[in-house]
Amino acid sequence: HATEMAGGGTTAARMRLSAAQYAHAASTVNTRFWTFEDPDSKRQIMTMCPLLDMANHAELAAVNARVEKTTTSVRLTATQPIAQGQEVIISYERAMLHRPDLALMRYGFWQKRRPPLLAAHDMAG
């Protein structure tokens, strides 16, 4: 039930979201947010950065831009000349991307590897 999925909140109920609509919205947000650390509370703050969604991921050798985060802003900086029409490419969190299951969950795509690495459920322990 959508209300239960939303933590019992009334927003989902007021909006009359179906479970499928809620799941779609939650997965869209989950694969597009960035986290920042609040310097006072040390809590992780989630925020949307639509411009960064337009940058694609590649391994470090192909990267032509970098993301610089502060507690109040995000800057996308070219690390080499980028021609008109050329993709802007950044490297997402490497710690996530070495595991294809986490890349799928966090970023919405399956990270192809040669040879493929194990997913979490394949690892012992």
Side-chain angles (χ1 to χ4, degrees):
H1 188 271
T3 304
E4 293 168 1
M5 290 178 65
T10 58
T11 303
R14 273 198 316 264
M15 294 176 63
R16 297 191 176 151
L17 293 176
S18 68
Q21 289 169 320
Y22 179 82
H24 175 75
S27 65
T28 298
V29 170
N30 190 50
T31 59
R32 288 170 176 78
F33 75 86
W34 290 74
T35 57
F36 297 86
E37 184 176 286
D38 180 288
D40 299 323
S41 68
K42 302 297 182 197
R43 290 181 30 199
Q44 294 294 310
I45 299 168
M46 295 185 338
T47 188
M48 302 293 282
C49 299
L51 177 65
L52 294 180
D53 284 342
M54 296 168 50
N56 290 311
H57 164 76
E59 294 300 319
L60 290 176
V63 167
N64 61 15
R66 72 175 177 271
V67 176
E68 301 164 346
K69 299 188 304 186
T70 72
T71 57
T72 58
S73 66
V74 178
R75 181 189 319 214
L76 183 61
T77 305
T79 57
Q80 61 186 336
I82 301 173
Q84 183 175 345
Q86 182 182 354
E87 277 185 290
V88 174
I89 302 171
I90 60 176
S91 180
Y92 298 170
E93 297 174 65
R94 293 179 56 80
M96 290 276 194
L97 294 173
H98 80 280
R99 286 197 20 210
D101 58 333
L102 287 179
L104 180 62
M105 181 183 75
R106 176 66 175 88
Y107 300 111
F109 68 89
W110 187 261
Q111 179 71 18
K112 295 177 184 172
R113 295 280 187 187
R114 295 274 185 250
L117 298 178
L118 295 175
H121 66 273
D122 294 328
M123 295 180 185

